[in-house]
Amino acid sequence: MTELKDATQATDATWQDDVRQGVRHVRDLDHLPLSPAERAAALAAAANHKVRVPKTYLDLIDWNDPADPIRAQVIPSPDELVEAEGELGDPIADHEFSPVPRLTHRHGDRVLLFPTYQCAVYCRFCFRKESLTSIGRGYTREALEPALAYIADHSEIREVILTGGDPLSLPDKALAEIFTRIEAIPHVRLLRIHTRVPVALPSRITPGLVEALQGRLMVTVVTHFNHAREITDAAEAACRTMRQAGFVLLNQSVLLKGVNDTVEVLEELCRELMYRLGVKPYYLHHGDLARGMAHRRTTIAQGQALVEALRARLSGICNPVYVLDLPEGGGKVPLGPCPIEGRDGESWRIRGQDGAVRGYTEITEA
């Protein structure tokens, strides 16, 4: 027992040191290898959105490359201060569909639960960045009581999605408490966790964290890798730990201009997710209408061309679904190009992966 306790303390110390040695406050930007002009621009942008980057993720940045894809995701940019007409503070209407605090119920059989509004890393493109900056609240048992009571009172809910903020930034004890409370609700069958921790703070995936999330519920962890450069040995070890615990691993990426908006970058990302990490590419999100993010959004047509090219290069298990999370709570809709060229009764004209259009006639029992 003493050896197990010592091992747990050692693994906890590793990830906690990683956080302490990274960027935790705006003033920490002064220690980064930025030019005076870059530093001034970053400080101005940081006033609108929190800054936090663990050292492990910072170390992935090539500071000699101003367009480095890791840097683009976490270092504040003055472009964030330019708001385009039509951008939204709550792009997918989380608040509109929130019957009680810390819960969103947009779809009948599942809910979003927000145990914390804090993250291990704050991404510059985050569609919830205004909420995370303005709310800034962590986990307390009392804060979650109305949401847990709501879930217990609604028997149609089968799936609880922990999001935020990043739920895996919480201590093991808090995660175990949340898991136990949700597990005690008999109609809930699956716990889904949306997290950037395996990407930016992989040392946080410890035996204690895994133990806190094991029990009756099926557990699915949805990671958020956007670029193959994020797939490191440490990330590989973290994903292996979760796979061995029996968790289902999926990934959702955001299509980001200047980060992953080429077929070569997406191909490498999706292939390495599946082949190296054992993580199924799940969604490729079109950029939401978060304020100050026009410089990172592609057009839908560009995204469609990319995913069509991916289908010709990758097996089905490596292909994500290209989706748009509609404003006003319309939910996720697939945006992939349609291969159907036409139809006449039971006869269809369908474009194949080779570009040729072929006929297909439905044959069904009369």
Side-chain angles (χ1 to χ4, degrees), residues 58-75:
L58 271 180
D59 288 345
L60 298 180
I61 296 175
D62 177 0
W63 294 103
N64 294 317
D65 179 8
D68 180 83
I70 310 300
R71 174 177 175 163
Q73 294 182 66
V74 293
I75 302 302

Side-chain angles (χ1 to χ4, degrees), residues 280-324:
K280 168 73 177 82
Y282 173 45
Y283 282 144
L284 175 64
H285 283 267
H286 186 74
D288 292 305
L289 294 176
R291 291 187 179 125
M293 283 295 104
H295 66 290
R296 290 293 172 211
R297 280 192 293 273
T298 69
T299 67
I300 290 175
Q302 287 170 328
Q304 288 177 322
L306 285 169
V307 296
E308 187 168 26
L310 279 182
R311 286 197 61 81
R313 293 173 177 233
L314 296 171
S315 68
I317 198 169
C318 294
N319 268 283
V321 178
Y322 181 40
V323 296
L324 171 65

Side-chain angles (χ1 to χ4, degrees), residues 10-264:
T11 54
D12 285 346
T14 299
W15 70 263
Q16 290 165 358
D17 285 345
D18 198 341
V19 172
R20 280 192 290 267
Q21 293 172 20
V23 170
R24 292 192 293 165
H25 308 285
V26 172
R27 61 179 177 270
D28 293 332
L29 294 173
D30 290 336
H31 306 306
L32 300 182
L34 300 170
S35 69
E38 289 173 330
R39 184 171 293 108
L43 289 170
N48 281 19
H49 180 34
K50 288 181 180 178
V51 178
R52 181 177 295 165
V53 193
K55 185 177 186 301
T56 294
Y57 198 74
L58 271 180
D59 288 345
L60 298 180
I61 296 175
D62 177 0
W63 294 103
N64 294 317
D65 179 8
D68 180 83
I70 310 300
R71 174 177 175 163
Q73 294 182 66
V74 293
I75 302 302
S77 162
D79 292 328
E80 298 170 30
L81 301 175
V82 181
E83 294 186 13
E85 184 177 356
E87 290 184 326
L88 304 168
D90 184 13
I92 64 171
D94 280 335
H95 302 310
E96 183 178 343
F97 290 85
S98 180
V100 296
R102 299 205 180 213
L103 182 139
T104 294
H105 194 180
R106 189 179 292 112
H107 307 291
D109 66 341
R110 56 202 182 276
V111 295
L112 302 177
L113 182 65
F114 300 84
T116 181
Y117 291 99
Q118 299 175 349
C119 291
V121 58
Y122 288 107
C123 304
R124 309 315 301 175
F125 55 86
C126 180
F127 69 95
R128 290 196 179 110
K129 63 181 185 178
E130 294 193 28
S131 293
L132 301 186
T133 295
S134 62
I135 296 174
R137 294 193 299 262
Y139 166 75
T140 66
R141 296 187 189 94
E142 295 76 18
L144 281 189
E145 284 302 328
L148 292 169
Y150 180 93
I151 296 168
D153 289 342
H154 287 75
S155 60
E156 73 274 19
I157 296 171
R158 297 286 183 269
E159 183 173 339
V160 175
I161 302 165
L162 299 187
T163 184
D166 195 318
L168 294 191
S169 67
L170 293 173
D172 296 344
K173 182 179 179 181
L175 288 171
E177 288 175 348
I178 294 166
F179 185 91
T180 299
R181 291 293 304 275
I182 296 172
E183 186 179 43
I185 302 172
H187 51 263
V188 176
R189 302 185 63 186
L190 185 144
L191 182 70
R192 197 196 319 172
I193 300 167
H194 287 197
T195 179
R196 191 93 153 108
V197 159
V199 183
L201 188 61
S203 56
R204 174 67 187 97
I205 307 299
T206 63
L209 181 147
V210 167
E211 183 180 357
L213 298 172
Q214 290 190 308
R216 172 183 68 83
L217 298 172
M218 178 67 71
V219 174
T220 296
V221 177
V222 182
T223 62
H224 187 171
F225 291 86
N226 287 323
H227 196 282
R229 285 256 307 279
E230 297 170 329
I231 299 176
T232 61
D233 290 345
E236 182 179 1
C239 290
R240 183 184 306 113
T241 295
M242 293 188 290
R243 289 202 325 271
Q244 291 173 344
F247 301 165
V248 176
L249 302 186
L250 306 173
N251 185 75
Q252 53 184 3
S253 303
V254 178
L255 182 57
L256 297 166
K257 185 177 180 180
V259 174
N260 58 11
D261 59 333
T262 69
V263 67
E264 293 80 11

Side-chain angles (χ1 to χ4, degrees), residues 1-9 211:
M1 181 64 71
T2 301
E3 291 180 359
L4 178 60
K5 182 178 180 181
D6 291 343
T8 299
Q9 290 174 341
E211 183 180 357

